[in-house]
Amino acid sequence: MSDHLFEHEQDIHTDFKEKMTYGDYLQLDHLLDNQKRLSNHHDEMLFIIIHQVSELWLKLIIHETRGAIEAIEQDNLRASFKMLARVSKIQSQIIHAWDVLATLTPAEFMAFRDKLGNASGFQSYQYRLVEFVLGYKAPHILKIYKKNSDVHAILEEAYHKPGLYDVAIRALARNGFAIDQAVLDRDVSKTYEKNASVEKAWLDVYRDVSTYWELYELAEKLVDIEDWFQQWRFRHMKTVERTIGHKIGTGGSSGVGYLKQVLDHYFFPELWELRTKI
């Protein structure tokens, strides 16, 4: 049936001697040659592909978030909404990836875990970049990547740039809200700490949605991203617990214990606290 239908598609291109193909455009030769198992175990392929796909999604999250930061800085909030909404959709994809990885049983993982050596998702520099663009900055993180000067330079640049919440707060100030000058002038290489003037500004936005509709929508986009991020962290923690219990991680972290600790961190604290006060 499919061959019969193909015969009637007279305009389909079949001669690619001088033309770029789908595989050429996506560089599939390189992409599909990068799943190299270090063991002969069948399920190592799953482990590699899940993590490689997640890294690609992280790359797109960084790309979209940076675009949103630039749009907000230019007071083009509407453009940022599309990018931030896309980030949330990407996050849902990464969360579902844990469901696939959770099909890996402890016995299956232990059959090739030793081949990982000290390699660990904890070392993912793109995950750190996501934290940086969202505003979470921890100085000890940069030390992990000193060995790789190129990666270290990428991270250090992002470390000293304003994160998504920084530019959102500055947008509040440009719209006439009284934000403490110390917040606007703060060292953006340090993790943001909640501030009463920022909370009051967001409360005013939520209490007068019709007047501040775009700022209100921006706030809800940020909440979406944080919500999905927390769900991603939770699924990560439960998948690790399901697969290796409370063993020490391959990278030396406490594994499940560490992942449980980070569940309590908020990127945009005032946007969550105002829900109790509004």
Short mmCIF file of all heavy atoms in Angstrom, two decimals, residues 112-166:
data_model
loop_
_atom_site.label_atom_id
_atom_site.label_comp_id
_atom_site.label_asym_id
_atom_site.label_seq_id
_atom_site.Cartn_x
_atom_site.Cartn_y
_atom_site.Cartn_z
N PHE A 112 26.23 -2.66 34.57
CA PHE A 112 27.19 -1.83 33.83
C PHE A 112 27.57 -0.55 34.57
O PHE A 112 28.37 0.26 34.06
CB PHE A 112 26.67 -1.48 32.43
CG PHE A 112 25.41 -0.64 32.39
CD1 PHE A 112 25.47 0.74 32.47
CD2 PHE A 112 24.16 -1.24 32.27
CE1 PHE A 112 24.32 1.51 32.44
CE2 PHE A 112 23.00 -0.47 32.23
CZ PHE A 112 23.08 0.91 32.31
N ARG A 113 27.06 -0.33 35.78
CA ARG A 113 27.31 0.92 36.51
C ARG A 113 28.80 1.17 36.71
O ARG A 113 29.26 2.32 36.64
CB ARG A 113 26.60 0.89 37.86
CG ARG A 113 26.67 2.25 38.60
CD ARG A 113 25.98 2.17 39.94
NE ARG A 113 25.87 3.49 40.55
CZ ARG A 113 26.31 3.78 41.77
NH1 ARG A 113 26.89 2.86 42.52
NH2 ARG A 113 26.18 5.00 42.26
N ASP A 114 29.58 0.14 36.94
CA ASP A 114 31.00 0.33 37.20
C ASP A 114 31.73 0.94 36.00
O ASP A 114 32.78 1.56 36.15
CB ASP A 114 31.66 -1.00 37.59
CG ASP A 114 31.61 -2.03 36.47
OD1 ASP A 114 30.53 -2.21 35.90
OD2 ASP A 114 32.66 -2.63 36.17
N LYS A 115 31.16 0.78 34.80
CA LYS A 115 31.78 1.34 33.59
C LYS A 115 31.70 2.87 33.57
O LYS A 115 32.43 3.52 32.81
CB LYS A 115 31.09 0.78 32.34
CG LYS A 115 31.22 -0.73 32.17
CD LYS A 115 32.66 -1.15 31.96
CE LYS A 115 32.77 -2.65 31.70
NZ LYS A 115 34.18 -3.08 31.52
N LEU A 116 30.82 3.44 34.38
CA LEU A 116 30.67 4.89 34.40
C LEU A 116 31.83 5.58 35.11
O LEU A 116 32.06 6.78 34.92
CB LEU A 116 29.36 5.29 35.09
CG LEU A 116 28.06 4.72 34.50
CD1 LEU A 116 26.87 5.23 35.30
CD2 LEU A 116 27.92 5.07 33.03
N GLY A 117 32.57 4.82 35.92
CA GLY A 117 33.64 5.44 36.70
C GLY A 117 33.09 6.52 37.60
O GLY A 117 32.14 6.28 38.36
N ASN A 118 33.64 7.73 37.52
CA ASN A 118 33.16 8.86 38.32
C ASN A 118 32.27 9.81 37.51
O ASN A 118 31.94 10.91 37.97
CB ASN A 118 34.33 9.65 38.90
CG ASN A 118 35.12 8.85 39.92
OD1 ASN A 118 36.32 8.71 39.79
ND2 ASN A 118 34.45 8.30 40.91
N ALA A 119 31.88 9.38 36.30
CA ALA A 119 30.98 10.20 35.49
C ALA A 119 29.60 10.25 36.15
O ALA A 119 29.08 9.23 36.59
CB ALA A 119 30.87 9.63 34.09
N SER A 120 29.02 11.43 36.19
CA SER A 120 27.73 11.61 36.86
C SER A 120 26.99 12.79 36.26
O SER A 120 27.59 13.77 35.80
CB SER A 120 27.96 11.86 38.36
OG SER A 120 26.80 12.35 38.99
N GLY A 121 25.66 12.70 36.28
CA GLY A 121 24.83 13.82 35.83
C GLY A 121 25.09 15.07 36.64
O GLY A 121 24.82 16.19 36.19
N PHE A 122 25.62 14.91 37.84
CA PHE A 122 25.97 16.05 38.71
C PHE A 122 26.96 16.97 37.99
O PHE A 122 27.03 18.16 38.27
CB PHE A 122 26.58 15.52 40.01
CG PHE A 122 26.94 16.59 41.00
CD1 PHE A 122 25.98 17.13 41.83
CD2 PHE A 122 28.25 17.06 41.12
CE1 PHE A 122 26.30 18.12 42.76
CE2 PHE A 122 28.58 18.05 42.03
CZ PHE A 122 27.60 18.57 42.86
N GLN A 123 27.72 16.39 37.04
CA GLN A 123 28.76 17.15 36.33
C GLN A 123 28.24 17.82 35.06
O GLN A 123 29.01 18.47 34.35
CB GLN A 123 29.92 16.21 35.97
CG GLN A 123 30.60 15.61 37.19
CD GLN A 123 31.15 14.21 36.93
OE1 GLN A 123 31.18 13.74 35.79
NE2 GLN A 123 31.55 13.54 37.99
N SER A 124 26.97 17.69 34.75
CA SER A 124 26.41 18.28 33.53
C SER A 124 26.54 19.79 33.58
O SER A 124 25.87 20.47 34.36
CB SER A 124 24.94 17.90 33.37
OG SER A 124 24.32 18.68 32.38
N TYR A 125 27.39 20.35 32.72
CA TYR A 125 27.58 21.80 32.76
C TYR A 125 26.35 22.53 32.21
O TYR A 125 26.07 23.67 32.58
CB TYR A 125 28.86 22.21 32.03
CG TYR A 125 28.79 22.33 30.54
CD1 TYR A 125 28.39 23.52 29.93
CD2 TYR A 125 29.13 21.27 29.71
CE1 TYR A 125 28.34 23.65 28.55
CE2 TYR A 125 29.08 21.38 28.34
CZ TYR A 125 28.69 22.57 27.76
OH TYR A 125 28.63 22.69 26.40
N GLN A 126 25.60 21.88 31.33
CA GLN A 126 24.39 22.53 30.81
C GLN A 126 23.32 22.65 31.89
O GLN A 126 22.57 23.63 31.93
CB GLN A 126 23.86 21.78 29.60
CG GLN A 126 24.70 21.95 28.36
CD GLN A 126 23.91 21.67 27.09
OE1 GLN A 126 23.84 22.51 26.21
NE2 GLN A 126 23.29 20.50 27.01
N TYR A 127 23.24 21.65 32.76
CA TYR A 127 22.31 21.76 33.89
C TYR A 127 22.70 22.96 34.75
O TYR A 127 21.84 23.72 35.21
CB TYR A 127 22.32 20.48 34.73
CG TYR A 127 21.48 20.60 35.98
CD1 TYR A 127 20.09 20.51 35.91
CD2 TYR A 127 22.07 20.84 37.22
CE1 TYR A 127 19.31 20.65 37.06
CE2 TYR A 127 21.31 20.97 38.36
CZ TYR A 127 19.93 20.89 38.28
OH TYR A 127 19.16 21.03 39.41
N ARG A 128 24.00 23.15 34.95
CA ARG A 128 24.46 24.31 35.73
C ARG A 128 24.13 25.61 35.01
O ARG A 128 23.78 26.61 35.64
CB ARG A 128 25.96 24.21 35.99
CG ARG A 128 26.36 22.95 36.75
CD ARG A 128 25.61 22.82 38.06
NE ARG A 128 25.88 21.54 38.71
CZ ARG A 128 25.27 21.12 39.81
NH1 ARG A 128 24.35 21.90 40.40
NH2 ARG A 128 25.56 19.95 40.33
N LEU A 129 24.24 25.60 33.68
CA LEU A 129 23.88 26.80 32.92
C LEU A 129 22.39 27.13 33.08
O LEU A 129 22.02 28.30 33.16
CB LEU A 129 24.20 26.59 31.43
CG LEU A 129 25.61 26.97 30.97
CD1 LEU A 129 25.79 26.61 29.50
CD2 LEU A 129 25.91 28.44 31.20
N VAL A 130 21.55 26.10 33.11
CA VAL A 130 20.13 26.32 33.34
C VAL A 130 19.93 27.00 34.70
O VAL A 130 19.18 27.97 34.82
CB VAL A 130 19.33 25.00 33.27
CG1 VAL A 130 17.90 25.22 33.75
CG2 VAL A 130 19.32 24.46 31.85
N GLU A 131 20.61 26.48 35.72
CA GLU A 131 20.51 27.11 37.05
C GLU A 131 20.98 28.57 36.99
O GLU A 131 20.35 29.45 37.59
CB GLU A 131 21.35 26.34 38.06
CG GLU A 131 20.79 24.98 38.42
CD GLU A 131 21.57 24.30 39.53
OE1 GLU A 131 22.80 24.50 39.62
OE2 GLU A 131 20.95 23.58 40.33
N PHE A 132 22.06 28.83 36.27
CA PHE A 132 22.60 30.19 36.19
C PHE A 132 21.62 31.13 35.49
O PHE A 132 21.39 32.25 35.95
CB PHE A 132 23.93 30.19 35.44
CG PHE A 132 25.09 29.62 36.24
CD1 PHE A 132 24.92 29.10 37.51
CD2 PHE A 132 26.37 29.61 35.68
CE1 PHE A 132 25.99 28.58 38.23
CE2 PHE A 132 27.45 29.09 36.39
CZ PHE A 132 27.26 28.58 37.66
N VAL A 133 21.05 30.71 34.36
CA VAL A 133 20.14 31.61 33.64
C VAL A 133 18.84 31.82 34.41
O VAL A 133 18.17 32.85 34.23
CB VAL A 133 19.84 31.13 32.20
CG1 VAL A 133 21.10 31.13 31.36
CG2 VAL A 133 19.16 29.78 32.18
N LEU A 134 18.50 30.88 35.29
CA LEU A 134 17.32 31.07 36.14
C LEU A 134 17.66 31.88 37.39
O LEU A 134 16.75 32.32 38.09
CB LEU A 134 16.72 29.72 36.53
CG LEU A 134 16.10 28.91 35.38
CD1 LEU A 134 15.50 27.61 35.92
CD2 LEU A 134 15.02 29.70 34.65
N GLY A 135 18.96 32.04 37.68
CA GLY A 135 19.34 32.91 38.78
C GLY A 135 19.99 32.26 39.96
O GLY A 135 20.38 32.94 40.92
N TYR A 136 20.15 30.93 39.94
CA TYR A 136 20.80 30.26 41.07
C TYR A 136 22.29 30.18 40.80
O TYR A 136 22.74 29.50 39.89
CB TYR A 136 20.22 28.85 41.27
CG TYR A 136 20.92 28.09 42.39
CD1 TYR A 136 20.77 28.50 43.71
CD2 TYR A 136 21.71 26.98 42.12
CE1 TYR A 136 21.41 27.82 44.74
CE2 TYR A 136 22.36 26.29 43.14
CZ TYR A 136 22.20 26.72 44.45
OH TYR A 136 22.84 26.05 45.46
N LYS A 137 23.09 30.89 41.61
CA LYS A 137 24.53 30.95 41.42
C LYS A 137 25.22 30.44 42.69
O LYS A 137 25.03 30.97 43.77
CB LYS A 137 24.97 32.40 41.16
CG LYS A 137 24.15 33.16 40.11
CD LYS A 137 24.52 32.80 38.71
CE LYS A 137 23.75 33.59 37.67
NZ LYS A 137 24.12 35.01 37.56
N ALA A 138 26.04 29.42 42.54
CA ALA A 138 26.81 28.88 43.66
C ALA A 138 28.28 28.84 43.25
O ALA A 138 28.64 28.19 42.26
CB ALA A 138 26.33 27.47 44.02
N PRO A 139 29.17 29.54 43.98
CA PRO A 139 30.57 29.67 43.56
C PRO A 139 31.31 28.34 43.46
O PRO A 139 32.21 28.19 42.62
CB PRO A 139 31.18 30.57 44.65
CG PRO A 139 30.26 30.48 45.82
CD PRO A 139 28.90 30.28 45.24
N HIS A 140 30.95 27.36 44.27
CA HIS A 140 31.68 26.09 44.24
C HIS A 140 31.45 25.33 42.92
O HIS A 140 32.24 24.47 42.54
CB HIS A 140 31.26 25.20 45.41
CG HIS A 140 29.85 24.70 45.34
ND1 HIS A 140 28.77 25.43 45.78
CD2 HIS A 140 29.34 23.54 44.85
CE1 HIS A 140 27.67 24.75 45.59
NE2 HIS A 140 27.98 23.60 45.01
N ILE A 141 30.38 25.67 42.23
CA ILE A 141 30.06 24.98 40.97
C ILE A 141 31.16 25.20 39.93
O ILE A 141 31.56 24.28 39.21
CB ILE A 141 28.70 25.46 40.41
CG1 ILE A 141 27.56 25.02 41.34
CG2 ILE A 141 28.47 24.93 39.00
CD1 ILE A 141 27.44 23.53 41.52
N LEU A 142 31.68 26.44 39.86
CA LEU A 142 32.70 26.75 38.86
C LEU A 142 33.96 25.91 39.05
O LEU A 142 34.65 25.58 38.08
CB LEU A 142 33.04 28.24 38.92
CG LEU A 142 31.96 29.21 38.44
CD1 LEU A 142 32.41 30.64 38.66
CD2 LEU A 142 31.64 28.99 36.98
N LYS A 143 34.25 25.54 40.28
CA LYS A 143 35.47 24.77 40.56
C LYS A 143 35.45 23.40 39.89
O LYS A 143 36.49 22.86 39.54
CB LYS A 143 35.64 24.60 42.08
CG LYS A 143 35.83 25.91 42.84
CD LYS A 143 35.90 25.66 44.34
CE LYS A 143 36.00 26.97 45.11
NZ LYS A 143 36.00 26.75 46.58
N ILE A 144 34.24 22.85 39.70
CA ILE A 144 34.10 21.51 39.12
C ILE A 144 34.64 21.49 37.70
O ILE A 144 35.14 20.46 37.22
CB ILE A 144 32.63 21.07 39.13
CG1 ILE A 144 32.09 21.05 40.56
CG2 ILE A 144 32.44 19.72 38.46
CD1 ILE A 144 30.58 20.80 40.63
N TYR A 145 34.60 22.65 37.02
CA TYR A 145 34.88 22.68 35.58
C TYR A 145 36.20 23.36 35.23
O TYR A 145 36.46 23.66 34.07
CB TYR A 145 33.73 23.37 34.85
CG TYR A 145 32.40 22.73 35.16
CD1 TYR A 145 31.58 23.21 36.18
CD2 TYR A 145 31.97 21.60 34.47
CE1 TYR A 145 30.37 22.59 36.48
CE2 TYR A 145 30.77 20.98 34.77
CZ TYR A 145 29.98 21.48 35.77
OH TYR A 145 28.80 20.88 36.08
N LYS A 146 37.07 23.57 36.22
CA LYS A 146 38.34 24.25 35.95
C LYS A 146 39.22 23.46 34.99
O LYS A 146 40.03 24.03 34.26
CB LYS A 146 39.09 24.49 37.27
CG LYS A 146 38.62 25.73 38.01
CD LYS A 146 39.56 26.11 39.12
CE LYS A 146 39.17 27.46 39.72
NZ LYS A 146 40.09 27.86 40.81
N LYS A 147 39.06 22.14 34.97
CA LYS A 147 39.88 21.29 34.10
C LYS A 147 39.62 21.60 32.63
O LYS A 147 40.53 21.52 31.79
CB LYS A 147 39.59 19.82 34.39
CG LYS A 147 40.37 18.85 33.51
CD LYS A 147 40.02 17.41 33.84
CE LYS A 147 40.76 16.44 32.93
NZ LYS A 147 40.42 15.04 33.22
N ASN A 148 38.37 21.96 32.31
CA ASN A 148 37.99 22.24 30.92
C ASN A 148 37.85 23.75 30.76
O ASN A 148 36.84 24.33 31.14
CB ASN A 148 36.68 21.52 30.58
CG ASN A 148 36.34 21.61 29.11
OD1 ASN A 148 36.61 22.62 28.45
ND2 ASN A 148 35.72 20.57 28.58
N SER A 149 38.87 24.38 30.20
CA SER A 149 38.89 25.84 30.13
C SER A 149 37.75 26.41 29.29
O SER A 149 37.22 27.48 29.60
CB SER A 149 40.24 26.33 29.59
OG SER A 149 40.48 25.80 28.29
N ASP A 150 37.37 25.70 28.22
CA ASP A 150 36.29 26.19 27.36
C ASP A 150 34.95 26.20 28.10
O ASP A 150 34.21 27.20 28.06
CB ASP A 150 36.18 25.33 26.10
CG ASP A 150 37.37 25.50 25.16
OD1 ASP A 150 38.05 26.54 25.26
OD2 ASP A 150 37.61 24.60 24.34
N VAL A 151 34.66 25.10 28.78
CA VAL A 151 33.41 25.00 29.54
C VAL A 151 33.43 26.00 30.70
O VAL A 151 32.42 26.67 30.97
CB VAL A 151 33.20 23.56 30.06
CG1 VAL A 151 32.06 23.52 31.08
CG2 VAL A 151 32.90 22.63 28.90
N HIS A 152 34.56 26.10 31.37
CA HIS A 152 34.68 27.03 32.50
C HIS A 152 34.40 28.45 32.05
O HIS A 152 33.72 29.22 32.75
CB HIS A 152 36.07 26.93 33.12
CG HIS A 152 36.22 27.70 34.40
ND1 HIS A 152 36.62 29.02 34.43
CD2 HIS A 152 35.98 27.34 35.69
CE1 HIS A 152 36.64 29.44 35.68
NE2 HIS A 152 36.26 28.45 36.47
N ALA A 153 34.90 28.83 30.87
CA ALA A 153 34.69 30.18 30.36
C ALA A 153 33.22 30.44 30.06
O ALA A 153 32.69 31.52 30.34
CB ALA A 153 35.53 30.40 29.10
N ILE A 154 32.53 29.43 29.50
CA ILE A 154 31.10 29.56 29.20
C ILE A 154 30.30 29.77 30.49
O ILE A 154 29.43 30.63 30.59
CB ILE A 154 30.59 28.30 28.46
CG1 ILE A 154 31.19 28.24 27.06
CG2 ILE A 154 29.06 28.29 28.39
CD1 ILE A 154 30.96 26.91 26.35
N LEU A 155 30.65 28.96 31.51
CA LEU A 155 29.94 29.05 32.78
C LEU A 155 30.24 30.35 33.50
O LEU A 155 29.34 30.98 34.07
CB LEU A 155 30.32 27.86 33.67
CG LEU A 155 29.69 26.53 33.29
CD1 LEU A 155 30.39 25.38 34.00
CD2 LEU A 155 28.21 26.51 33.64
N GLU A 156 31.49 30.77 33.46
CA GLU A 156 31.86 32.01 34.16
C GLU A 156 31.16 33.22 33.56
O GLU A 156 30.71 34.12 34.28
CB GLU A 156 33.37 32.20 34.14
CG GLU A 156 33.84 33.33 35.03
CD GLU A 156 35.32 33.26 35.33
OE1 GLU A 156 36.08 32.85 34.43
OE2 GLU A 156 35.72 33.63 36.45
N GLU A 157 31.04 33.23 32.23
CA GLU A 157 30.33 34.33 31.58
C GLU A 157 28.87 34.38 32.04
O GLU A 157 28.34 35.45 32.38
CB GLU A 157 30.39 34.17 30.06
CG GLU A 157 29.71 35.29 29.31
CD GLU A 157 29.70 35.09 27.81
OE1 GLU A 157 30.09 34.01 27.34
OE2 GLU A 157 29.27 36.02 27.10
N ALA A 158 28.22 33.21 32.05
CA ALA A 158 26.81 33.14 32.48
C ALA A 158 26.67 33.48 33.96
O ALA A 158 25.67 34.06 34.39
CB ALA A 158 26.26 31.75 32.20
N TYR A 159 27.68 33.13 34.73
CA TYR A 159 27.67 33.36 36.17
C TYR A 159 27.58 34.85 36.51
O TYR A 159 26.96 35.24 37.51
CB TYR A 159 28.95 32.76 36.77
CG TYR A 159 29.01 32.72 38.27
CD1 TYR A 159 28.35 31.74 39.00
CD2 TYR A 159 29.77 33.66 38.98
CE1 TYR A 159 28.42 31.70 40.39
CE2 TYR A 159 29.85 33.63 40.36
CZ TYR A 159 29.18 32.64 41.06
OH TYR A 159 29.25 32.60 42.43
N HIS A 160 28.17 35.67 35.65
CA HIS A 160 28.22 37.11 35.93
C HIS A 160 27.15 37.90 35.17
O HIS A 160 27.15 39.13 35.22
CB HIS A 160 29.60 37.65 35.61
CG HIS A 160 30.68 37.15 36.54
ND1 HIS A 160 30.84 37.61 37.82
CD2 HIS A 160 31.63 36.19 36.36
CE1 HIS A 160 31.83 36.98 38.40
NE2 HIS A 160 32.33 36.11 37.55
N LYS A 161 26.25 37.20 34.51
CA LYS A 161 25.16 37.87 33.81
C LYS A 161 23.87 37.79 34.62
O LYS A 161 23.68 36.84 35.39
CB LYS A 161 24.95 37.24 32.43
CG LYS A 161 25.98 37.64 31.40
CD LYS A 161 25.60 37.12 30.01
CE LYS A 161 26.54 37.64 28.95
NZ LYS A 161 26.17 37.17 27.59
N PRO A 162 22.97 38.76 34.46
CA PRO A 162 21.69 38.69 35.19
C PRO A 162 20.88 37.49 34.75
O PRO A 162 20.87 37.12 33.57
CB PRO A 162 21.00 40.01 34.82
CG PRO A 162 21.68 40.47 33.58
CD PRO A 162 23.09 39.98 33.64
N GLY A 163 20.20 36.86 35.70
CA GLY A 163 19.34 35.73 35.40
C GLY A 163 17.94 36.19 35.04
O GLY A 163 17.63 37.40 35.04
N LEU A 164 17.08 35.23 34.77
CA LEU A 164 15.72 35.53 34.35
C LEU A 164 14.96 36.35 35.38
O LEU A 164 14.23 37.29 35.03
CB LEU A 164 14.99 34.20 34.08
CG LEU A 164 13.54 34.27 33.62
CD1 LEU A 164 13.43 35.04 32.30
CD2 LEU A 164 12.97 32.86 33.45
N TYR A 165 15.13 36.03 36.65
CA TYR A 165 14.40 36.76 37.68
C TYR A 165 14.95 38.17 37.86
O TYR A 165 14.20 39.11 38.15
CB TYR A 165 14.45 36.01 39.00
CG TYR A 165 13.35 36.38 39.98
CD1 TYR A 165 12.05 36.59 39.55
CD2 TYR A 165 13.61 36.50 41.34
CE1 TYR A 165 11.04 36.92 40.45
CE2 TYR A 165 12.62 36.81 42.25
CZ TYR A 165 11.33 37.03 41.79
OH TYR A 165 10.32 37.35 42.69
N ASP A 166 16.25 38.34 37.67
CA ASP A 166 16.85 39.68 37.76
C ASP A 166 16.20 40.63 36.76
O ASP A 166 15.82 41.75 37.10
CB ASP A 166 18.36 39.61 37.48
CG ASP A 166 19.12 38.88 38.56
OD1 ASP A 166 18.90 39.16 39.75
OD2 ASP A 166 19.95 38.01 38.22
#
